[in-house]
Every structure is written in structure tokens, then in C-alpha cells.
Amino acid sequence: MPLPRTHPDREDRKDRIPWPAAAGTWRALVRRPRETSASTFVFTERGAALLLSGTAGCGSWSATGASAFSYRISEPLWDADGRFRGWVDIDQTAVCRGAGFTSCGVSRVHDAHGVLRYRVPVAVLARRWG
């Protein structure tokens, strides 16, 4: 399973792009064409992105403007017997507004051999938690 692209640390980027208020823990509704589920995201100040729901995943995030950011997370997929079945490449563009953010993007689902099986449009509506 390939790792998501990485981004420079905050200190390296301070002069180029304002750092949005994305760092923190977020409770979210994740909307796909056939279902909506609850998830928890954590974005660290140094650019790590964590998905703590489902099978959990990790990746990175970076500022793209004063109140905008993008994040990319790789989520492994396991079957009921604990065998690796593939991964989801989550790629989202987000905008912070007050204590919330919205994001949208396309998730790409790969099988265990790395073959892209399908793409899913996904929208996220999140509120700061904790």
C-alpha cells in the first residue's frame, strides 16, 4: 500500500501559506452516494492526518490558503479473517468556517494488488471536537 504524499513541516511553510485552523480533532459525517457514516479525524500542527474510524488510516494535510487545506489519507481494508484486501486513497479539499469544515473529493479504492477498482465521490461535514 503506497503512502500518501507528504508535505513540509509547518516551520518550513510559514512564510509561504497561512496556516489554517485545521489542527485539532474533528467529528464528521462522511457522505458517499449510498451511505453516510460518522468518522473522527485528527490533524496535527505538523501536518499529519489521522482517520480514527473504520479501519483507521493515516496521511498528511497542508494549508492551501488562509482558511483552506487539503488532506490525503490511506485507509487499509481488511476482511473478516484479518486478511489485507486493499486500501482506500482518500483525497479531499477543505474549507474551514468557524468551528467546522467542509470538504469534498474522490476516494479511490484499490485491491490488495494495487489495482484501482473504483472511485467514489465523498463529501465531509465536520465540527471541532474536544
Side-chain angles (χ1 to χ4, degrees):
M1 169 174 66
L3 295 176
R5 64 184 179 255
T6 58
H7 301 286
D9 286 340
R10 178 180 180 181
E11 301 305 316
D12 297 337
R13 303 170 46 80
K14 203 181 278 184
D15 296 331
R16 291 186 283 149
I17 298 174
W19 207 247
T25 302
W26 303 84
R27 298 285 295 170
L29 288 178
V30 178
R31 295 183 180 146
R32 298 169 205 85
R34 293 191 175 108
E35 72 172 327
T36 298
S37 60
S39 292
T40 301
F41 293 92
V42 176
F43 301 114
T44 71
E45 289 185 4
R46 296 187 60 81
L50 306 169
L51 172 63
L52 301 180
S53 305
T55 57
C58 63
S60 61
W61 74 277
S62 65
T64 57
S67 62
F69 66 102
S70 63
Y71 59 97
R72 193 158 182 189
I73 296 173
S74 230
E75 179 184 11
L77 301 173
W78 309 94
D79 69 13
D81 296 323
R83 289 180 292 220
F84 178 71
R85 291 296 181 201
W87 74 91
V88 181
D89 177 17
I90 301 164
D91 194 358
Q92 294 275 305
T93 301
V95 176
C96 289
R97 287 190 181 94
F101 79 77
T102 57
S103 69
C104 61
V106 175
S107 291
R108 291 165 183 81
V109 180
H110 301 266
D111 67 17
H113 302 290
V115 176
L116 176 64
R117 291 300 178 180
Y118 54 93
R119 293 174 178 86
V120 180
V122 178
V124 176
L125 176 61
R127 300 288 296 169
R128 191 174 295 281
W129 188 48

